Amino acid sequence: MNINHVQTYNNITFGHNNPWADSPYDNRKKYIVAGTTALGALTGMACHAKYKGYSLNPKKMFKNIKNSYWNKIDFDDGPVITIGAGSCLGGLIGGYIIDKNKENRKAKKREALLQITNISLPIISTVWMSNQGEKLGKRYFEKSNTKETFRTKTPRAIFAMVGLFGGVFAANIIANKINEKIFHQGKGRPVQASDFSAHLDDFCVAARQISKAKITDYIQKLVPFALMVAGNEVGNTTVENADS
């Protein structure tokens, strides 16, 4: 691919685009990126499972599936950051495999760093704020000596959503600083409403932080798949579509 212009990166790709539709590569190359992204996410999941003491032996996993990592783990900040980083690094590897253009590889590295920032900060903020809300609710619970009610759950819900939205803004500020200081390219852009549509993984985790109902357990199982969007975007990024 010939690059006939210098990219200024005036607008950071803060949310997720559609990496498949926006990709300039053919389907074979896109499948390579999708494969390395999935492998990276699975590697991140395996690392976190091992860290938490779960067996990676398939026989043991399927023999006691109810107590496996997939069924027992809450997808909070630890697994989300680990799986998200694995997804982005997997996408970066795939991007390097399909494209040897130096400028495009630089755009992919930049995108990987920005996406990892975009994944990490909102989820850290969401979980931390949710925990503060839970402490406030428990304080009320202990004083009233009654069952946990809607009023005692409300602080956790409010704090979690404040943490999510605050984390998105914080990630934007830091991502813009990374763009300006490390890559010496532009000043980025402010948060837009469309950016929040990119955070399906964070909304899933926020739902689980707010309530431990069975439905939220099913919802949080979408998190690893949502995180693969970022990796695919990294691998499919080029100088020409980096800010589209």
Side-chain angles (χ1 to χ4, degrees):
M1 181 179 297
N2 293 323
I3 305 300
N4 297 320
H5 64 283
V6 177
Q7 174 71 345
T8 59
Y9 296 122
N10 286 327
N11 297 312
I12 276 187
T13 305
F14 180 58
H16 296 311
N17 296 319
N18 183 333
W20 195 270
D22 296 339
S23 174
Y25 302 112
D26 60 35
N27 284 344
R28 183 184 67 84
K29 290 182 177 180
K30 287 188 282 190
Y31 283 127
I32 290 172
V33 171
T36 58
T37 295
L39 185 60
L42 285 171
T43 301
M45 191 182 297
C47 290
H48 191 262
K50 191 68 176 176
Y51 172 74
K52 287 295 185 179
Y54 289 89
S55 173
L56 299 181
N57 186 322
K59 288 184 178 179
K60 291 182 179 179
M61 289 167 57
F62 288 106
K63 185 177 180 180
N64 192 15
I65 193 94
K66 288 184 178 179
N67 292 314
S68 66
Y69 175 83
W70 181 257
N71 276 319
K72 284 293 186 180
I73 198 72
D74 274 340
F75 287 96
D76 51 21
D77 48 351
V80 167
I81 293 170
T82 306
I83 297 168
S87 170
C88 291
L89 292 174
L92 182 62
I93 290 169
Y96 266 54
I97 291 172
I98 66 172
D99 194 336
K100 301 190 186 308
N101 182 283
K102 289 182 180 180
E103 290 301 316
N104 285 342
R105 285 184 168 186
K106 181 180 178 182
K108 295 177 198 299
K109 285 191 291 185
R110 169 182 173 274
E111 188 68 27
L113 189 55
L114 295 177
Q115 290 295 350
I116 290 172
T117 303
N118 192 25
I119 288 168
S120 301
L121 291 186
I123 203 63
I124 290 171
S125 177
T126 299
V127 172
W128 187 83
M129 287 294 288
S130 173
N131 289 338
Q132 303 314 302
E134 185 175 14
K135 288 178 183 178
L136 185 63
K138 282 183 177 179
R139 195 172 301 156
Y140 175 85
F141 169 77
E142 288 170 357
K143 281 186 177 181
S144 62
N145 198 28
T146 60
K147 278 189 173 184
E148 190 178 28
T149 64
F150 175 77
R151 283 185 296 173
T152 62
K153 291 180 181 179
T154 299
R156 188 167 65 226
I158 294 173
F159 277 49
M161 295 312 296
V162 169
L164 171 56
F165 282 80
V168 170
F169 278 91
N172 177 257
I173 292 169
I174 292 174
N176 284 337
K177 290 294 184 184
I178 290 172
N179 183 59
E180 187 177 356
K181 299 297 183 183
I182 297 180
F183 294 98
H184 309 292
Q185 301 284 351
K187 295 184 178 180
R189 65 165 173 80
V191 174
Q192 298 176 2
S194 60
D195 292 334
F196 292 94
S197 66
H199 290 271
L200 173 61
D201 52 321
D202 297 322
F203 280 106
C204 291
V205 174
R208 186 63 174 169
Q209 290 292 311
I210 292 167
S211 171
K212 300 297 182 183
K214 195 66 177 176
I215 185 64
T216 64
D217 187 40
Y218 293 132
I219 290 172
Q220 73 164 348
K221 296 294 192 288
L222 297 172
V223 168
F225 301 101
L227 291 169
M228 291 183 197
V229 176
N232 276 282
E233 189 165 344
V234 170
N236 284 287
T237 292
T238 64
V239 171
E240 293 169 330
N241 74 357
D243 298 313
S244 60

